[in-house]
Amino acid sequence: MTTRISVRGLWAAFTLFSLVTGPVQSQVVDYVACDHTTTACQCDANADVCEFNFQVSYLQTFTRYRVTPEGRIDDLDGYIYTINDNGITEPFQSDQTCDFPECTEAATVDGKTFRPYFSFNGHIAGPTLIVTADQTIIVNVKSTLRAHGITIHWHGMFLRNTPWMDGTGYISQCPINPGTSFRYIFRAAPSGTHFYHGHIQGETADGLLGALVIRERDNDDADYFDLPDQHTIVLQDWWRQPFLSMFALQHSIFETFYPQDVSELPQVSRDRYNGSIGPDNTDLASIPFFSGLINGMGRHRDVPFATSRLASFEVQGGNRYRFRLVGAQTVYAFNFSIAGHKLTVIATDSFFIQPVEQVDYIIIHTGEKYDFVLDADQPMGNYRILAETLEIDDSGSPPYASLNNIAEAILHYTGAVTPVGPNYADANSETPTCTPANPCRAFNCPFMDFHESYNTICTRVSDLRLLNPTPADELPTSDTDDDVLQTFLNFGYEGDGIPDNINGRNFQFPPSPLQTQSDSFDIDPLLCPSEPYTCGDGCKCLHMLSLPFNRVVRLVLVNIGRETHPIHLHGHSFFVVATGYGEYDSATGFLVRSTNTLTCRPDENDFNTVDEQMCTTVNWRTGLEPDTTVDAFTPRKDTVIVPGGGYVAIQFISDNPGYWFMHCHIEPHLMEGMAMVVNIAQERQSPPPTSLSTCGNFNLSVSEFTEREQFVFNSAGPEPIYCNCIDRTEL
C-alpha cells in the first residue's frame, strides 16, 4: 500500500534552507506517511522535498507491540503471537492479546526463530522508500533503542558535496545514540534501485535495512508496468541468533565450532563446521546457513508450509512488469529464479543495460541490485519464487547437488487462489530443464563458467553493455595510460589465523569520524604504512588511499584467494574495464590456479596455486596487461564481485571529494577488516554542518582530576572555587 499524504495531512509550502550557502527557497514538501502500517512509502513526483520519519527499535520476533496515540511503538508492551495451521497469526496465550487501537504486526520471519531484531517503524525489512530523481530526501531517524549506536548508509547515493550524509559510522558521522535523533538530507541521485542499511557492525544482518527506489523522470515510454511499491524484492539471509553472537561464535576457535543448541557449551564429540563451497570450489561461508527471507518473510526447513508466511507479488496475466531485486544479504550469494518464467535483466546497480533476455537464474551477491522484466505469460496460478545459495555437495561429480538452502516467496496471478500457508505447497515449482540443445542462462556468474555438465551459459558483468551512452564528461578516459592513477588492492589472502584484509592490512576505525572531526586527533600514527609491507600476523591500522581531484583512477581489485568478494565503493559508480579469472579443472570445474595475468613480486616469480602466502605487492605480469579501454557503453556498477583467483579492474574520475568507505560487503569480512578509506581531494571537501554531533576518545590527567575533585560551589559569584581544604563547610 502506498500513501502520499502525511499524518499531518497536507501538502505544504515550506521554506527550506539550502544545504550549501545560497538563498532561501520556497519549496513544496511532501510529508510522506511512513509508519507501522506502510510497507512502501511513496513521495509525490511533483514535490521538491520528500520527508520520511523512521523509528528504530529493538523488538522481538513473533510479537505484536502497542502503538501509542502519538504513533510511537512501545517496546515495553509486547504480546507473543504464533502461526496456526491456516497460516494466520493468533495469540500464543488467549488472555495475552494486543487489543489496543493500534498494534504492530508480528514479524514471523522464518516461522521458527524467536529472537530480537532491529526494525524501522516496526518492520523487517524496512519500508520501501519511493521518490523521483533529483528530489531532496529528508529522513528523520529517531532511535528508541536501549543500547547500541546506529547509522544509516544510503547505498548507491552519490552525495556530492554532502559526504557527511553517507551514514558510515566513524567515517562520515558519529553513531546515533539511544534516545537521540538524526536528520539525513540528500539528493535523490542517481535514479534506479538502491537500498539503505545500518553501518556500524551487524545491524543489517539483524533487520536494519530496506529498499530505496528513485524513479526516472524520462522513462514514460517503457513497455512494462513499473510498480516499485508492489514489485521490489529484498533478499536476506537470516540467523538463529543476533549476528554479533554468531560472529563471536565464529571466532571462538578457527573454523567455526557449530553447537546444535543455542547457549549451551558444545560437546567435544560434535563436528566442527568447516564452511561450504560453490560450484568452482571457492569458499562461500564460514557461518552455516540458517534461513533465507524475502521482504522479511520466509520458511525454515523445519517449518511446514501451513505454519509459515511468505511474501506474495501479484501480477495480471498478459502484462509485463519491472521487478527490482536487492541483495541485502549478510554472507551468502543467492541464485534467484521464478518457476515457469524467463527473466529479462534490464539494469544493474541503477544503470540500464542492453537487455539480457531468456535468463533462468540471476546470481546476486550482497550489496548488488538488479532490475528485470517479467512477462506474465503463464497460465493463471501461483508460482514459486526461489533464491538458493550457491553451496554444493562436492561428494559426487558435476553437476553437483545443491544443499537446498533457500529463501522463497510466491508470484501470484490475479484471479488465482489467494496464497496462504496451507496452499503454498501447491504453487508451481517447475525448475528449468537445462540440456546441451537448450542450455539455461545464468546471469552474473562469479566465475568463468559452470562446468559443462550443468548445461548452463554464463553472462558475466564484463559481457554487459549500457543501454544509454555515458556522457563524455563522465567517462574516465585519458590520453595515455601513464596519466591513469593505478593501484592494486588484494582482497584475497585468507591465511591461517589472519583475519580478512586488503593488502595484508586489517582496517581499524578511527576514534572520531574522518569526515567531520579529522582535525580533532592525530591521524598519522593510525595510518597504515604506505610502502610495500607485510605485517607478519596481520596489522591493524587506518588503511587509506588518498587521491587528487579530477584524475582518472584505476583500482585493480585482486583476489588471490579462495573466496569471492563483493566490493562496494561508497559515493561512486565505477566502470568495469577488465575482469580476469583463474584456471579451472576441466574434469571438476574447480579452481586450481590463480590468474597468470598478475604477479605478487617484482621479480615475477610465479604464484600458481590459490593457497598463496600474503600478496601485498601485486602488479601486471609483463606483456599480459589486459585491455582497459573505456567507451560510452562500458558497464557501470557500485558493487562488483571479484572472483576467487581472479581480478576486476574498475575506473572512475576522482571528482567527488570526500572520505569514502570501500569494503567487502560480506559482513564478517568487513568486521574483520577487509575495508579501507578512499580519501578524495581532501582540500576540496565540503565542510560539515557545525551542528553535527561529535564523538571520540577522552583522556583525563590525574592532576586535572584532582583539581576537579576539589570543586566547591561559589555562592558569591559565577566562578567556581577550587581548594585543598578538607572541611568544605567553611565555604
Side-chain angles (χ1 to χ4, degrees), residues 310-485:
L310 303 181
S312 177
F313 303 88
E314 185 171 356
V315 295
Q316 176 76 49
N319 291 335
R320 306 183 79 227
Y321 296 91
R322 177 181 182 177
F323 278 74
R324 300 166 185 268
L325 184 63
V326 176
Q329 313 94 278
T330 307
V331 174
Y332 284 91
F334 279 124
N335 201 14
F336 177 88
S337 63
I338 300 179
H341 293 75
K342 300 279 189 177
L343 311 177
T344 300
V345 183
I346 62 169
T348 173
D349 291 355
S350 81
F351 292 96
F352 283 112
I353 59 172
Q354 295 177 20
V356 179
E357 300 178 336
Q358 297 294 302
V359 172
D360 297 283
Y361 302 102
I362 299 173
I363 298 174
I364 181 168
H365 222 311
T366 168
E368 294 190 294
K369 296 88 60 187
Y370 288 101
D371 295 28
F372 64 87
V373 171
L374 177 137
D375 286 287
D377 56 2
Q378 296 301 301
M380 184 177 64
N382 294 319
Y383 295 81
R384 191 186 195 198
I385 298 174
L386 187 67
E388 185 172 20
T389 70
L390 294 178
E391 297 168 287
I392 65 164
D393 178 356
D394 64 340
S395 61
S397 58
Y400 302 102
S402 164
L403 296 189
N404 197 33
N405 289 327
I406 63 172
E408 54 193 331
I410 301 294
L411 179 71
H412 170 63
Y413 276 64
T414 303
V417 60
T418 301
V420 292
N423 64 40
Y424 287 152
D426 299 331
N428 185 315
S429 299
E430 172 191 350
T431 57
T433 300
C434 312
T435 67
N438 292 291
C440 293
R441 180 174 294 278
F443 182 93
N444 191 36
C445 294
F447 36 73
M448 175 66 79
D449 282 303
F450 281 93
H451 186 271
E452 62 179 11
S453 62
Y454 284 84
N455 297 314
T456 297
I457 299 171
C458 279
T459 296
R460 309 168 204 87
V461 167
S462 56
D463 300 323
L464 304 180
R465 303 290 283 166
L466 293 180
L467 179 65
N468 305 309
T470 301
D473 60 350
E474 296 181 24
L475 287 175
T477 56
S478 61
D479 294 334
T480 68
D481 205 57
D482 291 339
D483 295 330
V484 176
L485 300 179

Side-chain angles (χ1 to χ4, degrees), residues 279-297:
D280 61 342
N281 196 34
T282 53
D283 297 330
L284 291 184
S286 54
I287 300 178
F289 185 87
F290 191 74
S291 295
L293 305 180
I294 294 179
N295 289 13
M297 293 179 276

Side-chain angles (χ1 to χ4, degrees), residues 214-335:
I214 301 178
R215 304 189 67 167
E216 301 84 10
R217 291 190 178 273
D218 55 355
N219 200 31
D220 294 336
D221 58 348
D223 62 348
Y224 48 74
F225 289 98
D226 184 8
L227 307 172
D229 57 324
Q230 302 175 36
H231 297 148
T232 298
I233 299 173
V234 180
L235 303 178
Q236 292 174 255
D237 39 19
W238 183 247
W239 312 99
R240 62 192 184 125
Q241 295 175 266
F243 192 74
L244 286 180
S245 297
M246 297 298 296
F247 186 73
L249 177 63
Q250 176 192 0
H251 293 85
S252 59
I253 66 170
F254 193 66
E255 294 186 343
T256 310
F257 200 95
Y258 184 47
Q260 299 301 306
D261 303 302
V262 175
S263 302
E264 289 186 9
L265 187 67
Q267 302 300 311
V268 176
S269 60
R270 291 182 178 166
D271 293 335
R272 295 184 182 189
Y273 179 77
N274 290 319
S276 58
I277 64 170
D280 61 342
N281 196 34
T282 53
D283 297 330
L284 291 184
S286 54
I287 300 178
F289 185 87
F290 191 74
S291 295
L293 305 180
I294 294 179
N295 289 13
M297 293 179 276
R299 183 178 68 90
H300 186 271
R301 64 173 70 244
D302 294 344
V303 176
F305 279 111
T307 57
S308 64
R309 298 180 69 189
L310 303 181
S312 177
F313 303 88
E314 185 171 356
V315 295
Q316 176 76 49
N319 291 335
R320 306 183 79 227
Y321 296 91
R322 177 181 182 177
F323 278 74
R324 300 166 185 268
L325 184 63
V326 176
Q329 313 94 278
T330 307
V331 174
Y332 284 91
F334 279 124
N335 201 14

Side-chain angles (χ1 to χ4, degrees), residues 34-39 65 67-68 71 73 102-105 120-123:
C34 200
D35 57 23
H36 67 284
T37 67
T38 49
T39 57
Y65 291 88
V67 179
T68 69
I73 298 170
E102 289 193 72
C103 295
T104 64
E105 289 297 318
F120 286 113
N121 297 346
H123 299 292

Side-chain angles (χ1 to χ4, degrees), residues 681-700:
Q682 184 171 352
E683 72 284 354
R684 290 174 172 261
Q685 293 175 14
S686 169
T690 56
S691 58
L692 270 179
S693 57
T694 60
C695 53
N697 294 331
F698 172 72
N699 293 297
L700 181 68

